[in-house]
Every structure is written in C-alpha cells, then in structure tokens.
Amino acid sequence: MKSSSVNVLYSLYKKTSRGRKVKFTKLLLLAISAGLVEIISIGALFPFLALLVDPGKISNIAPLSWVFSLFNIDVNITTIKLTILLSAIIIVSGIVRFLLINATIKFNFYLAHELGVKIYKNILYEGINTHYDRNSSEILSIMNKLEHLVWATLGSIQFISGLIMALFICTFLILFKVEFFLPLIATIVFFYGLFFLIFRKKLVEGGEVMSASSNKRAQFLQEGLNSIHDILSSHSQRMFLDKFQKIDLKFRNAQIVNQIIGPAPRVLMEVLVMLLIVSLTYISIGESDIYVAIPTLGVIIVGMQRLLPLIQQVYHGWTQFNGNQQIFIDINKLITTKANHLAVRREVGFDQYIEFREIYYKYKRHLPMVINNMNFKIDKGSKVGFIGSTGSGKSTVVDVLLGLISPSKGCLLVDNICLNKEYYQSWQERVAYVPQSIYLLDASYAENIAFGILPCEINFSRVKLAAEIAQISDIIENSVNNYNALIGENGIFLSGGQRQRIGIARALYRQSDVLILDEATSSLDIKIEKQIMENLSKIHDITIIIIAHRYHTLQGCDWVYEINKGSIERKITPEALLAS
C-alpha cells in the first residue's frame, strides 16, 4: 500500500473544518467518560454481590475494606442503599453510552455532509482541463462512494471509541484479577489480531475492486441512458446489459467478502471465550471462599459481557475501514484538489478591445500545439466571426477567450491588460457564452433562462426581454403556465432549435459586454437565425463573436477570421468570403 491506514485517516482528518475537529475532540472525551463510567459500574457490582452473599464478611475482603476506608463508607451499609447506588451508576452508564452513540452518529453524518459539499464545490470550481481529463462517470460514482464512506467512517469512529472503552475495561479487569483476566484478554486479542492479519490483504483488495467497479458501473449506466435512442433502435440492450451484469457481479462479490470478514470472528470468539471463562472460573472459585467467589464470578460475567462486544466493535470498525480504504483515498483526492475559487480576484474593465497576442496553446506537454502563434484584435462593439474546419482550433480559441484555460505562451489582452487567473472571474462576468449543445435544467423556462439564479431572485422583465430577442417568447407564452412551465430533463419536450434559442436567451439575460455564439444557431432555420441576428445587432455596445461552419451565419460581421491548423490563415470580409 502506498499509504498506511493511519496516514489515510489522518490526511482526511486534516481536511475537515476546525469545528469538526473540535467536535471530534469532544467525542473522544465522551468516549473516555463512557470508559470510566463502565469500569465504575462493573466495579460496583463486586461489593453489591458480596453484601448479598454475606454482609458480615465484607470487612474480611481486602480490596473492599480498603475502598470503604478510603471513601469513609460504613461497612454496615444496608443492601437497599447499595442497590440504589448501583442502580444510579448503571443508569448514568446507560445515559453516557447513549450520548456517545448519539454524538458518534451525528458527527459521522455531518462529516459526510461537510465532505460531500466540499467535493461538489471543488468539482464546480475545477479548471476546464480537469473536466476534459476525467470521465464524468467518476464524479457520479464518487457520490455513491460517499455513502460507503459514511459507514466506513462510522466504523472508524466506533473503532476509536470502542478501543478507548475496551482499554479502560481491560485495565480494570486485569487489576481486579490479573491471573484470570490477563491470559483471557491476551487470548482474545491474539485471535482477533490473527484474524485481521490473515484477512487484511483480502479486505484491501476487495476495497480496490469496489472502488474501480463503482466507477465502471456509473459509466455503463450513464452510457446506456445517454445512448437510449440508439439502443432501442438497434436492439443492442443485450451488450449493455452484459457489460453491466459482469461489473456489478464483481462489485457485489467484493462486498460479500468484506461484509463476511467483519462479523466472522464473533461466533468463534464467543465459543472460545465461554470455554475459557468456564475453565478459569472453575479453577479460580475452587481456590476461594464462597463470599469472594460469587462476587468475583459476577464481575467476570458482566465484565466479559461488556468487553466482548467492544472488542468485536474495534475489530469490525477496523475491517470496515480497511475494506473501504481505497474509497477514503479517492474521496481524499477530490477534497485535496485546489480549485480556482481560491485565486485572488482582480478587476478588469472592457472599453476598447480584446487581443490575442502571439498565443500558443497545447493541452498536455507531450501533445502538439493546438494554437500556433495566433494574433487578432476585436474592437469593442464590433461583430466578428471565426470559421474553420473541424479540429482547426476554434473551440480552444473560445476556451481562451472565456478564461477557462490559460495560454501556454502569449497574452490574452483586454484594454492592454494581460489577463491571468486573478482577472478571470472579473472577465468572465463580462462574457456570455452559447455553446452548440445546450444543457437544460429539469425546471421552468424562467429558471433555465435565468440560469444560476435562485427562483425567488429571478427578474422576469429581463427573462421576457431575453426570450423576445431569442425568438422563443411566443412558444413560451402559448404554453400552459408560460414562463413557469416545466420543460423536462434536458428539455426533452423541446426541439433542438428551441433548446438553442433558450441557450441564447440564457446568455442575453446576463446582459454581458461580450456575447460568444459557438455554433449556437446550427439547429435553427435561416429565417429565425436571421431574425435573431437582427435583434442582436440592435443591442447597444455589445461585442459579438460568432464561431460557425455555415457562411450565411457570418453575414453582418465586420470581419471574419479563418482558422487553419491553429493559426489565423486570413482576415476577410463576409462578402469576400462568400465570393471566394
């Protein structure tokens, strides 16, 4: 293993908030308190049973006479008083244990909430290249893994609290009767340790299989749902089902192994411990008077009744963690990700121009340049088009313009300021972007147009204006509930052209200085596209950048830049482009 179990847990602990660390400390203190109360309740049983057997003999029992003398307790204390005292101790012990269980469960699930929010936040703020490099199914599976983490973390916390309480009880029992409890506890620890050493590798391997299989399961589910039209039309359900069935069976087999290993030793240990108790008790009692032997037997029975479940809890908690260790590592990686929201923000204005100055870009060091020494300038308020074949670099130009990626070399200039990550947030607030493929929320028209705005904060006047310019207002206003009508998952009830118009309306709602249309009208007929372009041209002082394959989409542009192999091949007017 690359990381020890303790290092993985400690690494995750360091990522938690200060408040969570404080609560964990309180949890440990509560576990210590529970341990102390447990040994008091077990220890109080001895004088109680001794008093019941023969009240007159209490002063003859050395440990009891010493305790009674230390706390100035009358050796002639009545049975009823001792019964009340023992009952009170047992009640307090039960309350403390309940508080510990309550605190453990609350801590665990709030920790899972904190980690889930932190992971989702990091995902949303990660750079675009990270998303390009990672399969989206990994993100979907990580939330499923988080549920496994909840129970693995609960096991880890129970391991710690159980270990603390078990240590207190073991110490007390060994001090109470060393010749009896030392060999008994040593035997229990030896066999549990042996079980763990035998099965640890199996647990870790099972955890790795579950982690990898979880990613694949999410991937196959996503591929099946996204390809449902092709699957139904080609009757290829069997292939997708076979792939899912194999990986799910692998996942379940690993789960079975991990779930069996945890509780397996308990049955064997209960039988072994009972035999040891019977044997040792017989030997011990045979050497003692009855008024000592019966209280001792009571402490043995109650002590082991409390200790065995705690040792099983410790073992099961540790197996739970080791069986899910890879999931801890996966979660830890996503929490560790340094997201862009940590960057310092600097403001940038836009009053004059945008310029690409000697820009180069490649996605990875070993890959070729996607943009090669690109230079162009876009004046504020102008309308500029880009055209080029597939793979020429148009999408990468858009990502640089949006501040989603930084040039490998060169500068993106805005009013003679070379933008870096500190300026990106300010710049992105000035730019609205419409991609070719629009993702729509399973929400209302208004919520989709006012994307990223809480429903209670939506400006409906702006929504209606944006819809009118995008030529979608008539369709919305003729529907039931008009702007509050639901459009289905990813706009399933809408045509491709209608989805693109909502995408344009979404960008216009932002009222940005720059509008980038990346093949944003490819599903529209020429008449509607022309009307939208005319509406856009009426917006005062907006800079429009159009990326297109179709020549007629670029009509009305001031200039068109033709991109070839990552470079500007020529700068030309739309009329000259059509003529050529």
Side-chain angles (χ1 to χ4, degrees):
M1 291 299 297
K2 291 181 180 178
S3 302
S4 71
S5 302
V6 175
N7 286 341
V8 172
L9 276 175
Y10 182 64
S11 180
L12 192 65
Y13 170 78
K14 287 196 297 183
K15 307 296 189 310
T16 58
S17 65
R18 184 181 177 185
R20 198 67 50 208
K21 290 185 178 75
V22 170
K23 284 183 170 59
F24 181 69
T25 303
K26 290 179 179 178
L27 190 65
L28 292 180
L29 292 173
L30 192 57
I32 292 169
S33 302
L36 288 170
V37 175
E38 281 293 306
I39 63 174
I40 292 171
S41 65
I42 296 169
L45 191 65
F46 187 79
F48 174 73
L49 292 175
L51 188 67
L52 289 178
V53 173
D54 191 346
K57 296 287 186 177
I58 286 182
S59 58
N60 296 336
I61 303 172
L64 285 184
S65 62
W66 179 80
V67 171
F68 277 44
S69 173
L70 179 67
F71 293 99
N72 197 27
I73 300 172
D74 185 2
V75 292
N76 297 315
I77 186 171
T78 62
T79 306
I80 187 65
K81 287 180 181 179
L82 196 57
T83 302
I84 293 170
L85 178 62
L86 181 61
S87 299
I89 293 170
I90 291 170
I91 291 169
V92 170
S93 175
I95 291 170
V96 173
R97 275 187 290 154
F98 172 76
L99 291 174
L100 180 61
I101 292 168
N102 182 64
T104 299
I105 291 171
K106 280 186 175 180
F107 176 86
N108 184 59
F109 283 96
Y110 283 131
L111 173 64
H113 167 72
E114 180 182 311
L115 295 178
V117 170
K118 189 173 285 190
I119 288 168
Y120 190 48
K121 182 179 181 181
N122 281 356
I123 290 166
L124 292 179
Y125 280 97
E126 278 176 338
I128 197 70
N129 279 344
T130 306
H131 290 280
Y132 287 158
D133 291 341
R134 184 169 52 208
N135 192 308
S136 59
S137 62
E138 290 181 36
I139 302 302
L140 297 176
S141 73
I142 209 71
M143 290 303 169
N144 182 44
K145 288 178 182 179
L146 197 59
E147 293 307 308
H148 290 284
L149 185 79
V150 167
W151 300 109
T153 307
L154 182 61
S156 301
I157 295 168
Q158 288 177 337
F159 162 79
I160 295 168
S161 61
L163 183 63
I164 291 171
M165 293 174 67
L167 286 172
F168 272 100
I169 294 174
C170 285
T171 303
F172 169 78
L173 293 177
I174 290 170
L175 290 173
F176 177 77
K177 200 168 184 63
V178 65
E179 71 277 8
F180 182 94
F181 283 108
L182 186 60
L184 182 60
I185 291 170
T187 303
I188 294 170
V189 172
F190 171 77
F191 276 102
Y192 268 109
L194 187 63
F195 267 106
F196 179 72
L197 290 174
I198 291 170
F199 293 114
R200 184 178 185 275
K201 187 178 179 182
K202 198 85 173 171
L203 282 166
V204 174
E205 287 174 352
E208 290 171 352
V209 169
M210 284 196 294
S211 178
S213 301
S214 181
N215 290 345
K216 282 293 181 184
R217 285 197 321 156
Q219 181 184 333
F220 292 159
L221 282 170
Q222 191 176 19
E223 287 173 351
L225 293 173
N226 291 342
S227 309
I228 195 65
H229 285 89
D230 293 328
I231 291 171
L232 292 172
S233 61
S234 64
H235 302 286
S236 52
Q237 291 95 335
R238 185 173 179 179
M239 187 274 286
F240 282 86
L241 187 58
D242 285 348
K243 285 170 66 179
F244 179 81
Q245 189 174 9
K246 287 176 183 176
I247 201 67
D248 189 65
L249 184 60
K250 196 175 182 181
F251 177 80
R252 298 304 175 189
N253 283 334
Q255 274 190 319
I256 289 168
V257 171
N258 283 13
Q259 289 301 314
I260 289 174
I261 290 173
R266 181 174 182 173
V267 177
L268 177 62
M269 291 307 301
E270 283 177 352
V271 173
L272 178 64
V273 169
M274 286 304 297
L275 290 173
L276 283 170
I277 287 175
V278 169
S279 303
L280 292 171
T281 301
Y282 176 78
I283 295 168
S284 179
I285 288 178
E287 297 172 354
S288 305
D289 295 323
I290 192 69
Y291 63 85
V292 176
I294 290 177
T296 301
L297 182 60
V299 172
I300 290 170
I301 293 170
V302 174
M304 295 312 299
Q305 183 261 336
R306 296 285 177 84
L307 182 61
L308 266 181
L310 286 173
I311 294 178
Q312 175 62 29
Q313 178 180 312
V314 170
Y315 172 79
H316 189 257
W318 198 237
T319 57
Q320 277 282 92
F321 169 73
N322 279 273
N324 291 280
Q325 188 169 338
Q326 187 57 46
I327 291 174
F328 275 84
I329 293 169
D330 293 343
I331 297 286
N332 197 32
K333 283 179 184 175
L334 278 175
I335 298 171
T336 308
T337 302
K338 291 184 179 179
N340 292 337
H341 67 283
L342 301 174
V344 177
R345 177 189 169 112
R346 297 181 70 178
E347 300 298 324
V348 61
F350 178 45
D351 299 310
Q352 300 172 45
Y353 63 87
I354 305 165
E355 183 181 354
F356 261 43
R357 184 178 293 176
E358 298 179 355
I359 284 184
Y360 294 80
Y361 185 80
K362 59 180 174 181
Y363 286 98
K364 292 184 182 292
R365 289 183 179 180
H366 63 279
L367 295 177
M369 289 289 179
V370 183
I371 298 179
N372 283 296
N373 193 23
M374 188 173 285
N375 295 274
F376 63 79
K377 193 172 184 179
I378 300 171
D379 292 323
K380 182 177 174 65
S382 63
K383 185 178 181 183
V384 175
F386 288 86
I387 195 167
S389 60
T390 301
S392 60
K394 300 189 302 298
S395 297
T396 307
V397 169
V398 170
D399 285 347
V400 175
L401 282 169
L402 289 169
L404 296 177
I405 57 177
S406 300
S408 302
K409 185 181 176 183
C411 270
L412 169 63
L413 292 159
V414 176
D415 291 354
N416 209 35
I417 295 175
C418 182
L419 301 190
N420 56 34
K421 289 182 180 180
E422 294 179 359
Y423 288 104
Y424 283 166
Q425 188 177 350
S426 173
W427 171 241
Q428 286 159 356
E429 289 171 0
R430 295 182 175 274
V431 183
Y433 170 60
V434 188
Q436 181 179 6
S437 179
I438 307 293
Y439 183 82
L440 298 177
L441 306 173
D442 188 2
S444 66
Y445 283 107
E447 288 171 275
N448 273 283
I449 291 171
F451 183 81
I453 305 295
L454 292 171
C456 60
E457 298 176 359
I458 292 174
N459 185 326
F460 275 85
S461 297
R462 281 170 64 176
V463 168
K464 291 177 182 178
L465 178 61
E468 288 171 7
I469 296 172
Q471 294 288 289
I472 193 69
S473 57
D474 289 346
I475 293 170
I476 296 174
E477 289 166 9
N478 287 328
S479 65
V480 179
N481 296 327
N482 53 71
Y483 286 94
N484 290 316
L486 299 177
I487 64 172
E489 185 181 1
N490 200 20
I492 195 168
F493 304 128
L494 305 176
S495 68
Q498 288 169 344
R499 285 201 291 268
Q500 284 196 326
R501 279 180 274 173
I502 290 175
I504 294 169
R506 177 186 289 176
L508 292 170
Y509 179 87
R510 295 182 59 189
Q511 297 183 344
S512 301
D513 296 328
V514 181
L515 176 63
I516 300 177
L517 304 173
D518 186 2
E519 301 283 2
T521 58
S522 59
S523 297
L524 302 179
D525 60 55
I526 294 173
K527 183 180 177 181
I528 293 176
E529 181 185 43
K530 185 177 180 182
Q531 185 59 59
I532 291 172
M533 291 302 177
E534 287 178 3
N535 292 343
L536 292 176
S537 65
K538 295 174 185 177
I539 300 174
H540 176 68
D541 221 20
I542 189 172
T543 303
I544 301 174
I545 300 170
I546 302 171
I547 289 85
H549 276 102
R550 301 188 300 190
Y551 289 129
H552 68 264
T553 304
L554 301 172
Q555 290 178 1
C557 287
D558 300 313
W559 292 101
V560 176
Y561 290 99
E562 189 170 358
I563 302 176
N564 183 32
K565 295 181 180 179
S567 300
I568 300 296
E569 190 165 86
R570 58 177 175 165
K571 177 183 178 183
I572 191 170
T573 63
E575 295 77 16
L577 181 66
L578 287 170
S580 65

